[in-house]
Amino acid sequence: MSKKTPPISPEDSELFREAIGPVIVHRHTESRLQKAKPKPRAGMFERDEHDALLQSRRMNDAEALLLGSEPLLFQGPKVDGRLMRKLKSGSIRVDGEFDLHGMTAMDAERWLKQFLSQASKQGLHCIRIIHGKGARSEAGPVLMNVVDKVLRHQGRVLAFCSAPENQGGAGAALVLIE
């Protein structure tokens, strides 16, 4: 059983037309209704640039293996042999400490630079950086390599070495800063 709509009276039709005003018929072609195509992007170029940036921040595997098998050691020109021996033996009082455990290499690099800046501003002389030995990492001592790389490129770092066993051994570094 279908309901029929009642017919529209001519008076109602006339009232409706007066209410809406004149009607303009537009002829649309299908192409005008489609969205504009997005501008082309150089997706491969962007990805290549991003990969190159990440690669430049990482050490290659040969560098990582070379650095990972040796204890950390750097003696700047302002540090004499006596002071370096004291640093290696752990007999210099540690003023501050920073733990990098659980960080990614990029985060560790960023936070370590910030910590070194703050330590220098606060007048700290000797700091300990805990980076771990990399025993649970498939890539080896990643954070140790980051620490070595960052410390060697910081002008405020006078010297650094792996900590003695009683202060973390190969999992930590003692650092003298200006």
Side-chain angles (χ1 to χ4, degrees):
M1 183 159 71
S2 69
K3 288 188 177 181
K4 286 191 171 189
T5 57
I8 300 175
S9 70
E11 294 85 26
D12 287 342
S13 180
E14 187 62 35
L15 279 173
F16 176 74
R17 291 189 195 291
E18 284 177 23
I20 64 167
V23 176
I24 301 171
V25 177
H26 290 281
R27 302 284 178 223
H28 295 286
T29 62
E30 201 172 304
S31 64
R32 293 175 84 193
L33 297 177
Q34 293 176 350
K35 288 185 178 180
K37 291 182 181 178
K39 293 183 179 180
R41 285 182 42 226
M44 290 295 289
F45 174 76
E46 290 172 2
R47 189 171 56 219
D48 288 346
E49 288 295 305
H50 178 72
D51 290 347
L53 177 62
L54 289 177
Q55 185 66 29
S56 72
R57 291 181 178 167
R58 283 188 228 129
M59 293 183 183
N60 66 34
D61 292 338
E63 287 175 315
L65 288 174
L66 179 64
L67 289 173
S69 63
E70 297 292 324
L72 297 178
L73 183 63
F74 170 79
Q75 181 177 349
K78 296 179 182 178
V79 176
D80 63 12
R82 185 183 60 76
L83 183 56
M84 194 65 189
R85 283 190 296 280
K86 286 177 76 173
L87 182 65
K88 286 180 184 180
S89 69
S91 60
I92 298 175
R93 181 177 57 90
V94 174
D95 301 321
E97 185 174 88
F98 190 60
D99 191 344
L100 300 174
H101 277 109
M103 292 187 191
T104 64
M106 286 176 56
D107 286 342
E109 183 174 342
R110 181 170 47 98
W111 286 107
L112 179 56
K113 287 176 181 176
Q114 187 174 345
F115 175 74
L116 289 168
S117 175
Q118 289 296 334
S120 182
K121 286 177 186 173
Q122 293 173 4
L124 303 182
H125 181 60
C126 182
I127 58 174
R128 180 177 21 249
I129 300 168
I130 302 168
H131 49 73
K133 296 179 182 177
R136 290 180 275 178
S137 172
E138 291 178 15
V142 174
L143 295 178
M144 178 179 166
N145 296 337
V146 168
V147 168
D148 186 75
K149 181 178 109 178
V150 169
L151 294 178
R152 287 181 188 274
H153 292 95
Q154 292 291 311
R156 63 180 61 97
V157 173
L158 301 172
F160 63 88
C161 64
S162 290
E165 285 303 315
N166 65 344
Q167 293 188 32
L174 296 178
V175 185
L176 290 178
I177 55 176
E178 287 187 294

